[in-house]
Amino acid sequence: MKGIRISADEAFQERIRWLLRELGEDPDREGLLKTPERVEKMYKELTSGYRLDPNRVTNKAIFKSGYNEIILVKDMDFYSLCEHHLLPFFGTCHIAYIPGGKIIGLSKIPRLVEVFSRRLQVQERLTVQIAEYLEEVLEPKGVAVVMDGFHLCVAMRGAKKSRARMVTSSLTGVFKEDSRSRAEVLSLIHSRARG
């Protein structure tokens, strides 16, 4: 059918139909008829971070402030895709910083986690990207990012270790250089709220 152009969405869906055939399935089977469309929409959602600019997310939400103690946002859920197997990894992210004259709106921190996690990732790079971005835009005295993730590529295939978790951290400024500041922020991250 020379001359007929198909959209990128249709091309993606055709590749999913091909994959289903390669796996031994019938893409025309009732339960699979809409699967290519669902998978295409799912991957767009799970990789939406490529289409988001972190500077637009933080736009107009960075403010001057004289506050100079630790600011911590913890227990933020994150979801990402392992770039090696395209399987999900997910868990919790904790972000702390000590302002150097600027603070960021609270809601922007979880949104930044979303921007960087909604890409094909490895947890190590994801952790560093978040810390480096906050370091750049806030110019704080220090940033601490700690992520605790569960990786389906380790649980479901290969090693098949269903309880294994990965913890990564990226520390800058006083959190890296001063052992007391580091101990304080890690203690706050690991403490549980009362009540």
Side-chain angles (χ1 to χ4, degrees):
M1 297 205 287
K2 193 174 180 183
I4 295 177
R5 303 196 78 168
I6 62 172
S7 70
D9 293 349
E10 291 169 322
F12 189 100
Q13 292 172 28
E14 188 50 46
R15 288 179 179 101
I16 299 302
R17 280 190 275 283
W18 174 86
L19 177 62
L20 290 170
R21 284 190 290 275
E22 286 296 306
L23 294 173
E25 268 293 354
D26 174 8
D28 295 320
R29 180 167 66 78
E30 182 183 12
L32 295 176
L33 278 175
K34 294 210 174 255
T35 295
E37 182 182 342
R38 289 186 198 107
V39 170
E40 180 246 329
K41 286 180 180 176
M42 175 200 67
Y43 273 110
K44 279 186 176 175
E45 181 180 345
L46 297 180
T47 61
S48 61
Y50 289 119
R51 295 174 295 285
L52 297 173
D53 177 358
N55 293 315
R56 291 192 71 171
V57 169
T58 59
N59 188 25
K60 298 180 183 168
I62 296 176
F63 311 100
K64 290 181 183 176
S65 174
Y67 188 81
N68 62 2
E69 298 293 330
I70 293 173
I71 296 172
L72 169 63
V73 183
K74 65 185 204 172
D75 297 328
M76 292 174 282
D77 294 332
F78 76 90
Y79 300 89
S80 194
L81 285 175
C82 163
E83 68 181 30
H84 301 135
H85 302 98
L86 300 185
L87 284 171
F89 69 94
F90 53 91
T92 40
C93 178
H94 317 282
I95 297 175
Y97 68 99
I98 298 177
K102 292 188 259 184
I103 59 171
I104 187 169
L106 173 61
S107 70
K108 302 305 180 183
I109 292 177
R111 288 183 184 160
L112 284 171
V113 173
E114 182 93 355
V115 167
F116 291 109
S117 64
R118 293 299 179 137
R119 301 174 180 185
L120 301 182
Q121 282 285 15
V122 294
Q123 186 173 320
E124 299 90 334
R125 182 175 62 237
L126 173 57
T127 307
V128 170
Q129 284 177 334
I130 295 167
E132 286 178 346
Y133 182 79
L134 289 170
E135 184 76 25
E136 178 185 325
V137 298
L138 294 178
E139 300 171 346
K141 295 176 183 170
V143 172
V145 178
V146 177
M147 301 188 90
D148 181 344
F150 178 74
H151 294 247
L152 287 179
C153 58
V154 173
M156 293 177 65
R157 54 154 312 280
K160 294 185 180 115
K161 299 299 179 201
S162 63
R163 295 177 46 125
R165 299 191 68 82
M166 178 184 216
V167 177
T168 52
S169 67
S170 182
L171 307 174
T172 72
V174 294
F175 293 130
K176 185 171 190 160
E177 297 157 7
D178 179 47
S179 61
R180 290 187 330 183
S181 295
R182 182 171 48 254
E184 181 181 3
V185 77
L186 292 176
S187 173
L188 288 170
I189 286 171
H190 296 300
S191 68
R192 289 286 145 220
R194 292 183 192 174

